[in-house]
Amino acid sequence: MKLEEGIGLLAVIFIFGIIGAALLPDDMWEDHSRTPGMSGALQGSIGINPAGSPSRMASPLQGIAVAARTAPNANAIPQQVPRQTVAKPGLTPFSRAPVVRFSGTIQQITELQQRDGQIHIWLTGADGREREISVAPSWYLEYMNCNMLHDMQLSGTGFQFDKSIGPSVIYAKKLKIDNRPCHLRNDEGFALWSNRLR
C-alpha cells in the first residue's frame, strides 16, 4: 500500500467517525447516576444501596408514590397564584383608585388654568359636606354638551386618587346632567379628552 492510499484511508475513517459522533444522542456522555429526583426513588425502589448512604431498603411502593404525587392531574384547574408587584426605588405599585359616588348642588364653578387647566366644581351634598370635583377642560365640556350652572343638581361617579386622610379632589368619571350621562374618564381614570378632539 502506498503512502497516499494510507492517508486517504485514514481520512475516510476520520470522516465516518465524525458522522457517527454527530448521530449519537446529545446526553450520551452525561453522568446519569446523579440525576436529581428520580435516581434516589428508583434506587430505593429496587433495593440499591448507594455507597456511603445508610443501609435502608425502601419498598417499591414508596418510589411509585413519589412519582404519583408529582404527576399533574389533567382535569385539575390550575390555581391562580396572586402576583406580587415589587416597587422599584422611587416608584409605588399601581393600585386601582376607589370609585366614589357624589351628588349635590353646585356651589361654585372655577377653571383652574394654573393648576390643571380644568373646570372644578364644589358640590354641597345632602349631609352639608362640600366636595371638590375635577371635571374636564372647558373646551371638552362644550364639545360634549355638558353644560353646568350654579345651583344645579348634579350626581355622578369619580375616582379619589389621593388616599390621604381628609377631603381630597374627586376626578369625575361620569356626570348626570339633566338625566343625561356625560362621560369624562374611562374605567382606569384616564381622561377621554387626552386625544385632543377639538
Side-chain angles (χ1 to χ4, degrees), residues 34-175:
R34 297 191 179 223
T35 304
M38 287 304 290
S39 65
L42 289 175
Q43 288 170 358
S45 67
I46 59 175
I48 297 173
N49 187 11
S53 66
S55 61
R56 181 183 62 150
M57 183 180 266
S59 70
L61 293 178
Q62 286 179 340
I64 294 169
V66 170
R69 265 188 275 137
T70 58
N73 185 356
N75 296 328
I77 298 171
Q79 300 231 349
Q80 292 290 333
V81 178
R83 188 174 160 192
Q84 295 194 359
T85 306
V86 178
K88 292 187 178 182
L91 300 175
T92 56
F94 176 77
S95 61
R96 188 179 289 253
V99 176
V100 294
R101 296 188 178 278
F102 54 85
S103 64
T105 307
I106 299 176
Q107 297 300 314
Q108 183 179 347
I109 302 172
T110 305
E111 186 169 10
L112 300 176
Q113 285 294 339
Q114 288 78 21
R115 192 156 136 200
D116 57 9
Q118 297 178 22
I119 299 289
H120 285 241
I121 59 173
W122 280 261
L123 285 184
T124 302
D127 57 357
R129 271 183 25 189
E130 190 171 80
R131 296 178 130 176
E132 181 182 355
I133 315 291
S134 175
V135 184
S138 57
W139 66 263
Y140 184 75
L141 294 173
E142 289 174 22
Y143 177 79
M144 295 298 291
N145 198 20
C146 300
N147 301 317
M148 294 176 291
L149 299 170
H150 194 270
D151 291 331
M152 176 187 278
Q153 287 292 321
L154 186 74
S155 65
T157 57
F159 301 99
Q160 203 163 8
F161 295 110
D162 187 8
K163 296 177 182 175
S164 61
I165 298 172
S168 62
V169 177
I170 297 172
Y171 294 86
K173 175 186 175 189
K174 182 170 48 172
L175 297 177

Side-chain angles (χ1 to χ4, degrees), residues 174-194:
K174 182 170 48 172
L175 297 177
K176 201 165 195 183
I177 302 172
D178 294 332
N179 290 325
R180 190 175 59 80
C182 185
H183 297 278
L184 305 170
R185 290 176 174 85
N186 66 9
D187 291 336
E188 285 80 31
F190 294 109
L192 297 179
W193 61 87
S194 59

